Amino acid sequence: MTPQNQQGRVDRAGLLYGFAAYGIWGLVPLFWPLLEPAAAMEILAHRMVWSLAAVGLVLLVLRRWSWIRPLLRQPRRLGMITLAATVISVNWGLYIWSVNSGHVVETALGYFTNPLVSIAFGVLLLRERLRPAQWAAVGVGVVAVAVLTVGYGKPPWIALTLAFTFATYSLAKKRVGLDGLESLAAETAVQFLPALGFLIWLGAHGGSTFGREGAGHAALLASCGFVTALPLICFGASAVRLPLSTIGMLQYVAPTFQFALGLTVFHESMPPERWAGFALVWLALALLTWDALRTARRARRALADAAARAGALSATVEAAVVPEADVVSEADVVPEAVVPEAVVPEAVVPKAVVPEAVVPEVAVSDAVGPDVRPGPISGG
């Protein structure tokens, strides 16, 4: 198999993993209503507890434990993990409550808006400089929020809270510097004891649905860990196979699925002003995507030009060195090839011993021939 075919298979596998990850995240709104009559807080606590169990099992199979001891010796990173665990708890809880309360479309808006909030964080917190297209996208996003505020009659606080908590979570994860599985394991380890304590308290006061609603309901609550871990594993598999620009475009698959589910499955209303707000958000995302693709294309072109210049320089250096090597090899090789021709006739045909009449020309040529052929000289 050629390297091009291998690369093609790798890219196709990466796309499949990426669509699987974002597809599962996009279809998750179908899962949370199955857990009723459990309330959002109980579902959230079960998600934290069973996620640690699921991710811990995966890490046990993969034998990836070497990161734990160095992490425990770094209080700053532990603080970032605690912050990440806190904000993702808010994000998870609000998302579950929103889906089960009939706000699926607004949750989709939150994840559509997240890239714009991340860019704003980059400017305000990391002092990053934006390109003109990014500034335009942020401006269009602000107008979209204003339009949606008019449409909803209030700020879209669910969407904004989801976007800001997830952007904060992403920023904290960036500072921690752990891979996806390891990071989730550390975060759910922080969440585990409070979540388990809440479930124990809930059961003691008769408010728990785990076990009370039957084995099927208990199995669904336990499967929260699998639902959390599986898309993360798929995402990790896609991230090592695909360029960042492709991952950036795939991230819109999840909110697109959520938006479609909100309209077709949950039958949520979409008055004209909400369509206008969503259209502005999509315009902002189109600007961001176009700018990212253009920047990536320029970077690839600059890299190719640099490689071409390096190749030309290398060829120039080789052209300057090769003639010197050719002169040396001719001086070394030619005398070795010529010596046998000068020596053989004197050694094989002594004129004082063999009469000229007795020695035919054919015999002389037969005696001399084998010594002067290239084969024996070169092969020894």
Side-chain angles (χ1 to χ4, degrees):
M1 183 179 292
T2 65
Q4 290 82 0
N5 291 336
Q6 290 177 346
Q7 183 64 35
R9 289 187 60 184
V10 167
D11 289 346
R12 285 194 294 271
L15 285 173
L16 288 175
Y17 281 123
F19 275 113
Y22 286 104
I24 293 171
W25 282 325
L27 296 175
V28 158
L30 296 175
F31 176 72
W32 303 126
L34 300 177
L35 304 181
E36 294 178 336
M41 286 298 294
E42 183 181 1
I43 297 173
L44 174 63
H46 277 287
R47 185 178 190 181
M48 294 172 176
V49 170
W50 295 110
S51 292
L52 179 60
V55 176
L57 180 61
V58 173
L59 292 176
L60 180 64
V61 172
L62 299 177
R63 298 182 179 181
R64 286 163 56 172
W65 301 105
S66 59
W67 55 275
I68 296 178
R69 189 169 296 176
L71 179 63
L72 294 176
R73 294 195 293 263
Q74 302 178 54
R76 186 179 182 84
R77 294 179 75 194
L78 290 175
M80 286 290 104
I81 287 174
T82 303
L83 174 61
T86 301
V87 293
I88 201 60
S89 298
V90 175
N91 184 278
W92 284 357
L94 179 60
Y95 181 73
I96 294 169
W97 176 86
S98 301
V99 169
N100 288 353
S101 300
H103 300 285
V104 177
V105 170
E106 193 170 349
T107 65
L109 176 63
Y111 291 110
F112 275 130
T113 310
N114 176 65
L116 301 174
V117 176
S118 296
I119 289 176
F121 275 20
V123 173
L124 298 175
L125 302 179
L126 304 180
R127 298 291 186 266
E128 295 178 354
R129 300 182 62 182
L130 299 186
R131 295 182 293 273
Q134 291 175 314
W135 277 115
V138 172
V140 172
V142 171
V143 175
V145 171
V147 171
L148 288 168
T149 299
V150 173
Y152 280 100
K154 58 183 178 180
W157 66 272
I158 293 175
L160 293 176
T161 304
L162 289 174
F164 274 90
T165 53
F166 199 81
T168 305
Y169 173 69
S170 301
L171 180 62
K173 282 175 69 74
K174 182 178 180 180
R175 296 292 179 88
V176 171
L178 286 176
D179 290 337
L181 280 175
E182 288 84 346
S183 180
L184 182 61
E187 293 153 17
T188 50
V190 173
Q191 298 169 335
F192 179 80
L193 288 179
L196 183 62
F198 173 77
L199 291 176
I200 293 174
W201 176 85
L202 195 64
H205 288 75
S208 175
T209 63
F210 186 79
R212 193 182 68 191
E213 298 293 328
H217 180 73
L220 284 173
L221 286 173
S223 67
C224 288
F226 176 76
V227 171
T228 301
L230 178 61
L232 189 65
I233 294 171
C234 293
F235 175 78
S238 69
V240 299
R241 291 172 169 85
L242 295 177
L244 188 60
S245 59
T246 305
I247 293 290
M249 287 186 290
L250 283 177
Q251 71 176 326
Y252 302 129
V253 170
T256 300
F257 280 13
Q258 294 164 4
F259 180 76
L261 289 175
L263 294 182
T264 61
V265 177
F266 296 95
H267 305 291
E268 296 183 14
S269 63
M270 278 290 291
E273 56 270 19
R274 293 187 190 174
W275 279 111
F278 269 87
L280 288 172
V281 170
W282 293 331
L283 174 61
L285 295 179
L287 287 173
L288 285 182
T289 303
W290 170 78
D291 180 71
L293 292 175
R294 183 185 62 169
T295 303
R297 192 180 303 114
R298 286 179 176 177
R300 286 195 298 268
R301 189 181 298 116
L303 185 62
D305 292 343
R309 287 194 296 270
L313 179 61
S314 176
T316 303
V317 172
E318 290 179 0
V321 172
V322 166
E324 298 180 4
D326 290 343
V327 171
V328 173
S329 61
E330 291 176 2
D332 291 340
V333 173
V334 170
E336 294 180 5
V338 174
V339 167
E341 295 181 359
V343 172
V344 169
E346 296 179 2
V348 174
V349 189
K351 293 183 179 180
V353 176
V354 181
E356 293 180 2
V358 178
V359 182
E361 293 181 2
V362 175
V364 172
S365 63
D366 290 342
V368 175
D371 291 331
V372 296
R373 285 188 304 214
I377 293 176
S378 62

